[in-house]
Amino acid sequence: MKRPSRAAWRQRTTVPEGSGQGPAVPAGGAGRPPFAGGGWWACLVLGTAVASVFSGVLSNGFFDFDDYECFVDNPMVHGLGWTQLKWMFTSLHLTAYQPLAWLAGALLWTIAGPLPGPFHLLSLVLHIANAILLCVLLSRILERAAPSTEVRERLLAAGAASLLWSIHPTKAAAVAWATKVSDLMAAFFFLCACLSYLGRGQGRRPSAPTASEDGVGWSGRGQEQGRAWRPGIRASAWLFLASGLSHWTGIAFPLVLILLDFYPLKRLGADPVGWFKGPSAKVWFEKWPFLAIAIGLAVINGHGKAQVKGIELLYGLTHPMEASLAAAFYLRKVLFPTDLAVLYAINGPASSAGLNPGAAALLILVATLYAASVWRSAPLALGGWLFWLAGLLPSFASSAEGIIYGQDIYAYIPSMGLALLLAWALSSVMGFEGPAPSGDLPPLRQGPLSRMKRLLLLTMALGSTAAASAIFVPMSMRQTELWREPGAVWRQTLAADPDLWIAHYNLAALLVRQGRWDESRPHFQEALRLRPGAEGWKEDISAALRQMPSSSPGRKPGVPAK
């Protein structure tokens, strides 16, 4: 089939002036190239940039925290026999139900054996794919919000936001830690499910808004209210299930779908009173497969965590102040990616959150109320912020002895919401001169913008993006290189949180394996001091200390179990 030219496409989508209709787009995007306007080149540039930043991970080895328990020392992923497959689909190893991740690890082990390179290659490929999928998703959201904008402008906004998201220093742990391939797989299927639900192309545009419609194109019923949805919803449900079977970090997907239904799909009216009656009830009814999957994943993974002594489930719901502290903590890590670590005791005594729970709760509340107050002029800003908060729910769903432990990977999916917020801001600066007559997404600033003023805003926006990229790239490359030496990672973790007992313990165990007894002793003693009530760990550490000679001998003592 011959690809339509850009001129032919514009002619097909042109509506005669005075017809009372907005720009017509073929239903389902039929006939339109999925990456019109240079999209393929944008994705190629994005993928190349991400690969160049994180390619150093291919020379890394396995990390001594979970990698050995998950893959190296786990015979159940060293083949694809019936016993091993049964284990993969029934095990709650390390408190998580992730059969697809175990299957991927077993395939890699069967093909390449105990080599870390293939595991890191898979992580790198998945991260590149996620960056490209996020770019496509953001571009399609912007297209549905404002189909009258130029494709190149949407791609530039979506590409810039996806670039900053993908090269952020907090992403280094996701790529360099073989165990986290499960989270990368979950994010991959999560993005595919979003794209499947969102569909391809804008579909038929309704007639121009009347005086009864509001500034973002809703009538009293909503533009798309009650419309039967596309068959892609079935594929979206299956992809969501695949995401959950890889890891449960995307469990808030049903909430994200509601946000998409509200805007840009506009399947729910502007008035919440009519959301649960009449045609709008279909929007909620079709969510039952997603809700059933989410509940099933929550029950199974919650059961796995409940088997560990000291784990308290639903901690964030019963301790909203601590949950707000966790949300503020991750926001700080995104905005100021310093003091990175393997593990964070977010509400611990030496937390680097920089806020007390009360101040954190006030910050999150004020930001949420402000986003809600401007939703009519900036609905995507509200959607991106709520995406961020909803995605963080699994990260503080449980605690260990009252401490919420966090990792950079926990913000991998939620930070896509912040990328959406950034893409909206860039697109608003680049592509809008005033409210569109068809009810498109309003501009960042109301009123006409002169060519010079818009050029200035565009230069400032892209300049800030370039400056942030110039800062993130060396930081991410250094962080990736740091992961080559586990001892350096644990020392960095202790620099961020000197009172993290598990970091002292794992660094001491690593030093014991290296025969550096004198260096390991103070870290074992500090771990005992910080966690005196843990009898099992106390016995292991005490036994290791008793076996240690005062100076480095020729033989190694037994290494305490993790």
Side-chain angles (χ1 to χ4, degrees):
M1 181 177 177
K2 185 178 179 181
R3 177 175 176 173
S5 65
R6 185 175 181 83
W9 173 254
R10 284 181 174 175
Q11 185 177 5
R12 291 170 62 185
T13 57
T14 301
V15 178
E17 185 176 357
S19 64
Q21 294 184 357
V25 180
R32 181 170 188 177
F35 293 107
W40 289 111
W41 286 104
C43 292
L44 179 62
V45 171
L46 178 61
T48 303
V50 176
S52 63
V53 172
F54 295 107
S55 59
V57 75
L58 298 178
S59 60
N60 288 15
F62 287 113
F63 187 55
D64 68 333
F65 189 57
D66 288 347
D67 279 1
Y68 285 86
E69 290 183 71
C70 287
F71 300 116
V72 181
D73 297 332
N74 184 3
M76 291 302 165
V77 296
H78 293 175
L80 295 170
W82 171 249
T83 302
Q84 292 160 322
L85 290 173
K86 181 180 178 181
W87 178 88
M88 295 175 198
F89 283 88
T90 58
S91 172
L92 291 172
H93 186 54
L94 296 182
T95 75
Y97 185 69
Q98 49 185 42
L100 294 188
W102 297 130
L103 186 60
L107 287 171
L108 285 178
W109 192 279
T110 302
I111 295 171
L115 299 176
F119 287 87
H120 294 313
L121 177 60
L122 176 60
S123 297
L124 179 60
V125 170
L126 284 171
H127 184 55
I128 294 172
N130 290 340
I132 294 174
L133 288 174
L134 179 62
C135 179
V136 176
L137 176 63
L138 296 180
S139 178
R140 290 191 181 175
I141 289 176
L142 293 176
E143 178 186 6
R144 285 192 168 274
S148 61
T149 57
E150 289 289 334
V151 176
R152 288 191 178 91
E153 293 172 348
R154 293 196 301 267
L155 283 174
L156 186 57
S162 301
L163 177 65
L164 290 181
W165 174 87
S166 58
I167 64 172
H168 197 274
T170 58
K171 303 300 187 293
V175 183
W177 198 348
T179 299
K180 300 308 173 184
V181 71
S182 59
D183 296 80
L184 296 175
M185 291 175 60
F188 175 81
F189 290 118
F190 182 96
L191 288 167
C192 290
C194 286
L195 285 169
S196 177
Y197 188 85
L198 196 62
R200 177 179 171 184
Q202 170 66 15
R204 182 182 63 81
R205 290 289 297 170
S207 58
T210 64
S212 64
E213 293 177 343
D214 60 27
V216 291
W218 274 287
S219 65
R221 294 178 62 253
Q223 285 185 344
E224 307 288 347
Q225 184 174 355
R227 185 167 69 87
W229 206 226
R230 59 190 55 79
I233 190 172
R234 298 177 183 175
S236 181
W238 284 108
L239 289 166
F240 174 45
L241 178 61
S243 174
L245 295 180
S246 300
H247 203 265
W248 73 309
T249 47
I251 199 173
F253 182 70
L255 299 178
V256 175
L257 294 187
I258 296 298
L259 294 176
L260 291 176
D261 282 328
F262 181 69
Y263 200 87
L265 296 178
K266 304 174 188 174
R267 300 181 66 209
L268 296 171
D271 185 5
V273 175
W275 284 3
F276 301 96
K277 59 184 179 180
S280 290
K282 297 178 182 178
V283 176
W284 304 95
F285 177 76
E286 69 185 21
K287 298 299 183 296
W288 73 263
F290 302 95
L291 186 61
I293 293 172
I295 293 175
L297 292 172
V299 170
I300 294 174
N301 286 277
H303 175 71
K305 293 185 179 298
Q307 306 307 307
V308 180
K309 185 179 180 181
I311 295 290
E312 181 179 349
L313 300 178
L314 303 178
Y315 186 83
L317 296 179
T318 58
H319 298 77
M321 304 289 281
E322 305 292 327
S324 299
L325 179 63
F329 174 85
Y330 285 114
L331 184 62
R332 176 194 175 278
K333 288 298 177 184
V334 171
L335 298 178
F336 306 100
T338 58
D339 297 328
L340 300 182
V342 177
L343 198 66
Y344 307 100
I346 295 178
N347 56 340
S351 172
S352 58
L355 292 172
N356 60 51
L362 181 61
L363 173 64
I364 299 301
L365 179 62
V366 170
T368 304
L369 291 178
Y370 176 77
S373 68
V374 299
W375 75 268
R376 289 186 179 273
S377 60
L380 285 185
L382 175 61
W385 177 252
L386 293 181
F387 186 154
W388 160 256
L389 294 179
L392 285 174
L393 289 177
S395 67
F396 43 75
S398 62
S399 71
E401 299 177 349
I403 301 295
I404 298 177
Y405 288 99
Q407 296 176 4
D408 291 333
I409 191 66
Y410 293 168
Y412 191 90
I413 290 179
S415 58
M416 296 175 186
L418 299 182
L420 172 60
L421 198 157
L422 177 60
W424 160 79
L426 293 174
S427 180
S428 298
V429 170
M430 290 186 289
F432 300 93
E433 294 185 357
S438 58
D440 289 341
L441 179 67
L444 182 63
R445 299 177 183 274
Q446 298 289 342
L449 291 175
S450 66
R451 184 178 182 86
M452 184 63 69
K453 186 176 181 180
R454 197 171 92 172
L455 181 61
L456 177 61
L457 288 174
L458 176 60
T459 302
M460 293 175 60
L462 295 182
S464 300
T465 302
S469 300
I471 295 173
F472 287 167
V473 166
M475 292 179 66
S476 296
M477 295 180 72
R478 285 197 301 269
Q479 193 68 16
T480 302
E481 184 178 359
L482 185 75
W483 276 79
R484 295 178 185 173
E485 173 51 50
V489 178
W490 287 119
R491 289 187 176 88
Q492 183 188 58
T493 300
L494 288 174
D497 187 351
D499 291 338
L500 190 60
W501 68 269
I502 195 170
H504 283 287
Y505 177 84
N506 280 278
L507 178 57
L510 175 64
L511 293 172
V512 166
R513 289 193 292 270
Q514 295 173 350
R516 299 158 67 178
W517 325 112
D518 293 336
E519 296 180 53
S520 67
R521 188 185 301 273
H523 290 290
F524 272 138
Q525 293 172 340
E526 187 68 7
L528 281 175
R529 184 187 70 81
L530 293 170
R531 199 169 186 247
E535 294 300 328
W537 291 78
K538 185 175 181 180
E539 293 175 2
D540 291 343
I541 295 175
S542 299
L545 289 172
R546 286 194 299 269
Q547 296 179 56
M548 284 185 186
S550 58
S551 60
S552 300
R555 65 178 185 86
K556 298 181 181 180
V559 181
K562 279 189 180 182

